[in-house]
Amino acid sequence: MPTSPPTTSARPEPGTGAGPVPAAARVGDGPRRGGTSASAASAPAAARASAFVYAPAPEATDHLRLRDRYPLFIGGRFQPPAAGVHRPTINPATEEMLAEVAEADAEDVDRAVSAARRAFPGWSRLPGARRARHLFRLARLVQERSRELAVVETLDGGKPIRESRDVDIPLVAQHLFYHAGWADKLPLAFPGARPQPLGVCGQVIPWNFPLLMLAWKIAPALATGNTVVLKPAETTPLTAMLFAEICQQAELPDGVVNLVTGGPDTGRALVAHPGVAKVAFTGSTAVGKQIQRSLAGSGTALTLELGGKAAHVVFDDAPLDQAVEGVVNGIYFNQGHVCCAGSRLLVQESIAEPFLRRLTERVGRLRVGNPLDKNTDVGAINSREQLERITELVASGVAQGARLFQPACELPGRGFWFRPSLFTEVSPSHRIAREEIFGPVLAVMTFRTPEEAVERANNTRYGLSAGVWTTKGSRILWMAQRMRAGVVWANTFNRFDPAAPFGGFRESGFGREGGPQGLRGYVELR
Amino acid sequence: MAAAVETLPAPASLQSVDQVEVEDRARLFASRSIKRAAKLWALELAVRCTDLTSLEGADTPGRTATLCAKALRPDPEDEAVPPVAAVCVYPAQVGEAATRLRGSPVRVAAVATGFPSGQMPRELKIAEAAEVARIADEIDMVMDRGAFLSGRYDAVQEEIAQVKAAIGDRHLKVILETGELGGYDQVRHASWLAMAAGADFIKTSTGKIQPAATLPVAVVMLEAIRDYAWSTGRAVGFKAAGGIRTARQAIGYLVAVNETLGDEWLTPERFRLGASSLLNDVLMQRAKERSGAYQSADDFSQA
């Protein structure tokens, strides 16, 4: 198994640097947790030793049986790619290869779509209750193999095991269970209409929640009677391949789920295939726009779930410490590789100082390191490419005059890592306040009145999610009505539930996933 | 000490607490995986921070003597196990405890002010506290929940201040009895009242009411302690008591203290665990960590 990088607690050096931390942070008797303010040029100070050092607690990996090489999953069987090309997939925490994965070309995609087309008549005519049975079986097998799936998700993608174990995989099972429940009740979701499946769905998913995004795509498609060709992300294909094994274990009819691994070319071939009746894409706004352009006039149905630049609005009456938790969870969860991440913090000016003091101190306590360690809070950046993008955007923030705070924490020597970061003195025109960074980087701004908060929150091309922190119920409703975002969380953030529709406004895409609304993207109403 | 004052928007005591998120935070602390060297370190600290407690109507001098022996030498088989922080008993047992513990580092703590209900005339409470303070090193008083719940916050603070004055330089722990307060907002408020009135420690519970100590309540109190230190420069200690029976629970509290207040609070001067049956589970876990195998409960002496 791959060697493990050490986990280090991100302890800020007390009493150094000005940063956004007021001088009171360094009172002799108080908890001396200041922070370092560092520019991109000067590295943060060395981490301070703590008395209570958590010994490494890595999740065991010896139970894993990964193959050396994963072929494609077409028509219920593992099949080698036509051109015989395979690419390595690596562990971003160590840069070591985990397995080789097939690269599907146009011919392979064509075979997969044909298999899905052949499977469609049988699957779509199956009584809903029978389809439900298959989905229930998939859900139970995911639960049975949850530990294995969580470990592979963490190895392949770099996310902390705590998240893959407690969030990703349980939600995968929940989504399958939830949609199994709908399979025989579809007319109830669309009163007065007869929902009909569309045919073959071509689905392309991102690398941030590999198996969860697969479940979000496959569960509603199957529940409504469609068949699927899905392309996992290039850097995180492994849990999808385990899911292929689960499909076999569950005796899902051949061809109902087909998985084609590969890069952008594979995705393009899938999206453009004339046998595909519906395309569902989750990923970057740039690629989403390309897909929409390429499908224009083709009659292919499309839903897009794209980027975001969510605002997290904290009012002066908010429960401060819990709002800090929400903000931390909003931006550092999954290293900020979250389309709905709360990457812009709007804090009411009257509490900016006490709030930022708590926030910087809390960020300083995040434990960055080996994703397999059960005590790790922030894991590895998914890929070198993404790390470069984050680094470049953070440098632009410094260059444009924002003030960078990063805790002192040792980062492992190998692998892709980025310190949890936050910027103060950010102006709405800065790139870090406008562009999706998709990394652990928070842009902090202030506001004076609720009206200004709404204005600032909506001042973005995106509109996927938003958060409000206040103890006033009426203000929550007032804000939720005015913020242009598909999801508005109140006094919490990044909570997902299969029964709640998720999706965006404007450049965050269209279509919803989850809830009865999510079924709408996979049916035609007659 | 320099008093650096932090400005908070509302009176800091009235800052509200969000139930969902604070319970989430507590879950994270409880799920930290503390293994090997870290676990041994934590278990030893847990012993050093224990207030070994017996608060029963059936307590006798003999029982108190046994308790004191256990406190001085928690594991007769292993000299490396340090003594506990204090022995906590009813006022009637203070004399016996003081005799048994004389000359040792183990302190004598006594509950007072009409423990556990506190439903007693104030003069008697103050007299009781003053009386036990002649012998005991630490006084665990109960906050007047009757006054708190009827909104007489001044009376709550006044009483604490009077008790504090009556016991001189003795250490004052104020028991909030969080299970009776009605919610996290009230726990925060009560914490603040007690600290501002002069408490050296704030303590969760008497152990006579369910729910007793819980980790989310501890998080709320620890955050209040941190805020109080930030705004006044004075460090107040924290004592979790009631319902803490396993080493795992104890470690959860240590993690919460570590990640909320930091190293400076990981000492018996600022952190205590009030418990009776906890100690042997800690010792058993400690022995297991060192030898690799669990031993029988009968291998550990009773308190």
Side-chain angles (χ1 to χ4, degrees):
Chain A
M1 281 328 293
T3 51
S4 307
T7 296
T8 54
S9 174
R11 289 302 180 97
E13 181 79 9
T16 55
V21 184
R26 301 186 285 275
V27 172
D29 232 351
R32 294 181 288 113
R33 299 283 185 227
T36 52
S37 175
S39 70
S42 67
R48 195 170 76 93
S50 156
F52 195 0
V53 181
Y54 303 167
E59 178 76 31
T61 52
D62 49 1
H63 56 89
L64 282 189
R65 300 280 174 271
L66 283 184
R67 306 181 193 193
D68 295 334
R69 182 174 268 198
Y70 282 93
L72 304 170
F73 183 67
I74 295 173
R77 290 184 304 121
F78 284 99
Q79 301 188 9
V85 181
H86 292 78
R87 280 175 199 270
T89 181
I90 63 164
N91 177 347
T94 60
E95 300 178 57
E96 284 170 42
M97 188 176 90
L98 295 166
E100 283 194 319
V101 178
E103 174 92 1
D105 61 12
E107 193 184 328
D108 298 311
V109 168
D110 186 54
R111 258 191 309 147
V113 173
S114 303
R117 282 180 76 94
R118 277 196 302 279
F120 177 69
W123 179 252
S124 57
R125 279 200 290 267
L126 213 58
R130 295 281 301 280
R131 287 202 305 272
R133 214 153 77 182
H134 283 291
L135 282 165
F136 277 126
R137 214 180 277 170
L138 290 173
R140 280 196 301 269
L141 284 164
V142 164
Q143 286 184 318
E144 266 174 39
R145 296 179 65 172
S146 58
R147 203 158 87 99
E148 177 191 0
L149 290 167
V151 171
V152 173
E153 201 73 308
T154 286
L155 283 173
D156 203 17
K159 66 173 62 200
I161 186 74
R162 186 162 60 77
E163 292 175 10
S164 48
R165 181 195 65 198
D166 297 347
V167 181
D168 287 57
I169 307 302
L171 275 174
V172 169
Q174 278 178 37
H175 265 268
L176 291 164
F177 276 122
Y178 176 81
H179 286 95
W182 272 123
D184 61 347
K185 305 173 193 69
L186 293 175
L188 297 178
F190 306 103
R194 286 194 304 134
Q196 302 294 318
L198 302 171
V200 176
C201 300
Q203 305 176 321
V204 179
I205 58 169
W207 43 259
N208 56 346
F209 295 92
L211 194 62
L212 182 58
M213 290 301 106
L214 175 144
W216 278 28
K217 293 283 181 278
I218 286 184
L222 262 48
T224 45
N226 300 279
T227 56
V228 162
V229 179
L230 180 137
K231 188 193 91 66
E234 201 174 359
T235 60
T236 55
L238 288 183
T239 42
M241 300 325 288
L242 295 186
F243 187 79
E245 293 175 8
I246 289 176
C247 291
Q248 287 183 327
Q249 263 182 294
E251 294 172 13
L252 192 70
D254 294 346
V256 170
V257 169
N258 305 274
L259 300 169
V260 287
T261 45
D265 288 341
T266 313
R268 267 191 286 273
L270 175 58
V271 166
H273 197 286
V276 168
K278 188 246 158 75
V279 168
F281 172 78
T282 297
S284 73
T285 295
V287 176
K289 284 179 173 174
Q290 278 175 27
I291 292 175
Q292 193 172 12
R293 247 178 253 128
S294 74
L295 291 183
S298 69
T300 308
L302 175 67
T303 48
L304 295 173
E305 201 263 89
L306 308 174
K309 191 74 187 174
H312 218 144
V313 182
V314 180
F315 284 99
D316 58 1
D317 64 339
L320 291 189
D321 282 296
Q322 288 75 47
V324 164
E325 285 311 305
V327 169
V328 166
N329 176 39
I331 186 63
Y332 303 117
F333 175 65
N334 199 26
Q335 297 76 246
H337 302 329
V338 184
C339 43
C340 53
S343 48
R344 288 182 299 149
L345 169 63
L346 297 174
V347 56
Q348 196 152 15
E349 204 168 322
S350 54
I351 55 158
E353 197 178 297
F355 189 79
L356 285 175
R357 178 175 189 183
R358 281 161 180 73
L359 182 62
T360 47
E361 133 127 359
R362 176 73 176 87
V363 172
R365 287 185 191 280
L366 288 170
R367 303 173 61 83
V368 186
N370 182 10
L372 276 176
D373 194 300
K374 287 174 249 179
N375 292 328
T376 291
D377 298 323
V378 179
I381 301 300
N382 186 268
S383 64
R384 183 181 299 281
E385 196 188 348
Q386 188 57 28
L387 178 61
E388 282 164 6
R389 180 174 162 72
I390 297 168
T391 310
E392 190 267 320
L393 271 160
V394 167
S396 86
V398 174
Q400 289 189 313
R403 185 170 195 167
L404 175 64
F405 168 86
Q406 286 179 327
C409 60
E410 277 173 43
L411 299 181
R414 283 174 68 84
F416 314 130
W417 306 93
F418 202 85
R419 287 190 172 82
S421 307
L422 71 86
F423 278 106
T424 52
E425 295 170 33
V426 177
S427 123
S429 62
H430 288 166
R431 283 182 65 200
I432 49 166
R434 302 177 59 78
E435 294 180 31
E436 182 177 39
I437 300 175
F438 225 61
V441 183
L442 179 68
V444 182
M445 289 168 279
T446 58
F447 68 92
R448 291 161 297 179
T449 62
E451 288 76 12
E452 190 180 29
V454 169
E455 219 171 87
R456 291 221 165 174
N458 287 341
N459 182 220
T460 168
R461 290 196 305 262
Y462 297 106
L464 192 52
S465 65
V468 190
W469 288 84
T470 170
T471 40
K472 271 202 177 69
S474 57
R475 190 183 276 157
I476 290 172
L477 298 174
W478 191 90
M479 290 292 291
Q481 283 164 357
R482 284 162 182 79
M483 289 203 286
R484 280 198 309 264
V487 183
V488 178
W489 281 293
N491 293 338
T492 189
F493 208 86
N494 275 348
R495 299 248 166 200
F496 304 100
D497 191 304
F502 183 91
F505 277 76
R506 309 187 73 210
E507 290 201 6
S508 291
F510 47 82
R512 293 291 179 267
E513 294 182 293
Q517 294 85 344
L519 299 170
R520 183 64 190 88
Y522 290 94
V523 293
E524 192 187 338
L525 296 181
R526 295 221 178 114
Chain B
M1 184 184 314
V5 176
E6 178 185 63
T7 20
L8 281 169
S13 57
L14 296 176
Q15 283 286 300
S16 63
V17 178
D18 183 77
Q19 179 187 341
V20 173
E21 291 290 328
V22 81
E23 287 174 1
D24 243 30
R25 184 95 180 107
R27 255 192 298 278
L28 172 75
F29 292 145
S31 72
R32 285 290 193 213
S33 184
I34 305 300
K35 304 281 185 214
R36 296 185 291 279
K39 187 171 179 183
L40 272 175
W41 188 89
L43 292 173
E44 204 221 67
L45 180 63
V47 173
R48 286 195 291 123
C49 291
T50 294
D51 280 5
L52 193 61
T53 304
S54 186
L55 295 168
E56 301 298 331
D59 286 346
T60 58
R63 161 82 182 131
T64 302
T66 314
L67 195 70
C68 293
K70 179 77 176 172
L72 291 165
R73 192 72 192 277
D75 189 347
E77 318 275 319
D78 187 350
E79 282 191 9
V81 178
V84 303
V87 161
C88 182
V89 291
Y90 268 121
Q93 302 298 325
V94 164
E96 179 67 22
T99 311
R100 298 282 168 177
L101 297 173
R102 188 162 298 139
S104 83
V106 180
R107 320 239 276 170
V108 178
V111 296
T113 70
F115 181 94
S117 71
Q119 298 284 2
M120 205 161 84
R122 190 185 290 178
E123 317 80 73
L124 296 183
K125 293 191 204 177
I126 292 164
E128 184 196 20
E131 173 64 23
V132 288
R134 296 194 312 144
I135 307 170
D137 307 299
E138 304 175 353
I139 310 297
D140 289 28
M141 75 169 282
V142 288
M143 186 186 80
D144 187 345
R145 283 92 73 194
F148 181 86
L149 291 170
S150 56
R152 292 176 284 127
Y153 307 121
D154 289 353
V156 171
Q157 286 198 299
E158 198 180 271
E159 182 177 291
I160 295 171
Q162 286 172 353
V163 171
K164 172 85 181 163
I167 64 172
D169 61 353
R170 304 305 197 200
H171 234 60
L172 180 64
K173 303 185 201 129
V174 177
I175 304 172
L176 308 182
E177 195 65 300
T178 54
E180 287 185 342
L181 300 185
Y184 297 122
D185 286 349
Q186 287 76 16
V187 171
R188 185 180 166 92
H189 188 187
S191 302
W192 204 273
L193 292 177
M195 290 187 290
D200 298 304
F201 263 72
I202 49 175
K203 172 176 169 183
T204 56
S205 333
T206 60
K208 305 293 182 192
I209 292 289
Q210 286 302 321
T214 68
L215 206 45
V217 158
V219 173
V220 172
M221 291 170 68
L222 293 169
E223 284 170 353
I225 289 172
R226 181 208 55 200
D227 289 351
Y228 188 75
W230 277 356
S231 66
T232 66
R234 187 166 82 88
V236 175
F238 170 72
K239 177 172 172 182
I244 306 168
R245 291 190 184 85
T246 66
R248 197 182 157 71
Q249 283 173 296
I251 290 174
Y253 285 98
L254 289 173
V255 168
V257 172
N258 184 42
E259 296 194 30
T260 309
L261 292 166
D263 294 354
E264 295 89 340
W265 263 260
L266 289 174
T267 136
E269 307 307 311
R270 294 194 189 163
F271 174 69
R272 295 288 176 87
L273 284 161
S276 38
S277 56
L278 168 69
L279 189 55
N280 270 356
D281 191 57
V282 168
L283 295 176
M284 195 186 285
Q285 292 293 335
R286 185 176 176 280
K288 187 257 166 184
E289 213 48 44
R290 295 171 83 90
S291 71
Y294 279 106
Q295 301 177 22
S296 153
D298 285 335
D299 291 349
F300 300 92
S301 63
Q302 289 180 333

